[in-house]
Amino acid sequence: IGIFVASSVAAQRCGFHKESEVQRMYTLFYNSALILNLVLDIVLQAYLSYLQMVGVGAHTAGGRLLGEMDSFQKIFESYPMQK
Protein backbone atom coordinates (compact mmCIF):
# COMPACT_ATOMS: atom_id res chain seq x y z
CA ILE A 1 0.00 0.00 0.00
CA GLY A 2 2.88 2.36 0.74
CA ILE A 3 4.16 2.34 -2.81
CA PHE A 4 0.68 3.21 -4.16
CA VAL A 5 0.31 6.16 -1.82
CA ALA A 6 3.88 7.43 -2.26
CA SER A 7 3.61 7.28 -6.06
CA SER A 8 0.24 9.00 -6.04
CA VAL A 9 1.34 11.81 -3.73
CA ALA A 10 4.56 12.37 -5.68
CA ALA A 11 2.66 12.49 -8.98
CA GLN A 12 0.11 14.96 -7.63
CA ARG A 13 2.84 17.25 -6.26
CA CYS A 14 4.59 17.51 -9.63
CA GLY A 15 2.32 20.40 -10.54
CA PHE A 16 0.76 19.04 -13.72
CA HIS A 17 -2.53 20.58 -14.85
CA LYS A 18 -4.00 17.62 -16.71
CA GLU A 19 -5.06 14.42 -15.02
CA SER A 20 -3.54 12.36 -17.82
CA GLU A 21 -0.10 13.84 -17.06
CA VAL A 22 -0.53 13.08 -13.35
CA GLN A 23 -1.49 9.49 -14.18
CA ARG A 24 1.50 9.18 -16.52
CA MET A 25 3.85 10.29 -13.74
CA TYR A 26 2.13 7.98 -11.26
CA THR A 27 2.72 5.05 -13.60
CA LEU A 28 6.35 6.08 -14.10
CA PHE A 29 6.98 6.46 -10.35
CA TYR A 30 5.19 3.21 -9.52
CA ASN A 31 7.00 1.13 -12.14
CA SER A 32 10.36 2.67 -11.23
CA ALA A 33 9.80 1.78 -7.58
CA LEU A 34 8.85 -1.78 -8.50
CA ILE A 35 11.94 -2.25 -10.66
CA LEU A 36 14.20 -0.78 -7.97
CA ASN A 37 12.61 -3.06 -5.39
CA LEU A 38 13.14 -6.09 -7.63
CA VAL A 39 16.81 -5.27 -8.23
CA LEU A 40 17.45 -4.71 -4.52
CA ASP A 41 15.71 -7.99 -3.65
CA ILE A 42 17.82 -9.94 -6.15
CA VAL A 43 21.08 -8.36 -4.92
CA LEU A 44 20.22 -8.96 -1.27
CA GLN A 45 19.21 -12.57 -1.93
CA ALA A 46 22.43 -13.27 -3.84
CA TYR A 47 24.57 -11.72 -1.09
CA LEU A 48 22.81 -13.58 1.72
CA SER A 49 23.03 -16.85 -0.23
CA TYR A 50 26.76 -16.29 -0.75
CA LEU A 51 27.30 -15.65 2.97
CA GLN A 52 25.32 -18.77 3.84
CA MET A 53 27.28 -20.94 1.40
CA VAL A 54 30.60 -19.59 2.67
CA GLY A 55 29.43 -20.33 6.21
CA VAL A 56 28.69 -23.97 5.45
CA GLY A 57 31.89 -24.44 3.44
CA ALA A 58 30.47 -24.79 -0.08
CA HIS A 59 32.95 -25.87 -2.76
CA THR A 60 33.10 -25.04 -6.43
CA ALA A 61 33.06 -27.75 -9.10
CA GLY A 62 36.88 -27.57 -9.08
CA GLY A 63 37.08 -28.21 -5.34
CA ARG A 64 37.96 -24.69 -4.16
CA LEU A 65 36.08 -23.18 -1.26
CA LEU A 66 33.67 -20.49 -2.34
CA GLY A 67 35.11 -18.17 0.31
CA GLU A 68 38.59 -18.43 -1.27
CA MET A 69 37.49 -16.93 -4.58
CA ASP A 70 38.88 -13.46 -5.08
CA SER A 71 36.88 -11.81 -7.85
CA PHE A 72 33.20 -11.06 -8.28
CA GLN A 73 33.11 -12.72 -11.69
CA LYS A 74 34.61 -15.99 -10.40
CA ILE A 75 32.18 -16.04 -7.47
CA PHE A 76 29.19 -15.23 -9.68
CA GLU A 77 30.08 -17.85 -12.27
CA SER A 78 30.80 -20.61 -9.75
CA TYR A 79 28.52 -23.62 -9.64
CA PRO A 80 27.15 -23.08 -6.10
CA MET A 81 26.03 -19.52 -6.96
CA GLN A 82 24.31 -20.70 -10.16
CA LYS A 83 22.18 -23.34 -8.41
Side-chain angles (χ1 to χ4, degrees), residues 35-76:
I35 291 169
L36 178 63
N37 187 28
L38 176 66
V39 169
L40 291 175
D41 283 345
I42 291 170
V43 168
L44 181 62
Q45 181 64 41
Y47 179 68
L48 292 176
S49 296
Y50 168 75
L51 290 179
Q52 184 179 18
M53 286 187 279
V54 168
V56 298
H59 291 80
T60 65
R64 288 182 61 194
L65 285 173
L66 190 60
E68 294 175 353
M69 312 225 59
D70 57 355
S71 74
F72 174 76
Q73 184 173 0
K74 288 179 182 179
I75 293 169
F76 186 75

Side-chain angles (χ1 to χ4, degrees), residues 9-50:
V9 169
Q12 290 171 0
R13 290 188 181 195
C14 283
F16 291 116
H17 298 290
K18 295 181 181 178
E19 184 64 25
S20 64
E21 294 172 333
V22 173
Q23 290 299 316
R24 187 177 307 140
M25 286 309 296
Y26 168 77
T27 303
L28 178 69
F29 288 151
Y30 181 75
N31 285 327
S32 298
L34 287 178
I35 291 169
L36 178 63
N37 187 28
L38 176 66
V39 169
L40 291 175
D41 283 345
I42 291 170
V43 168
L44 181 62
Q45 181 64 41
Y47 179 68
L48 292 176
S49 296
Y50 168 75

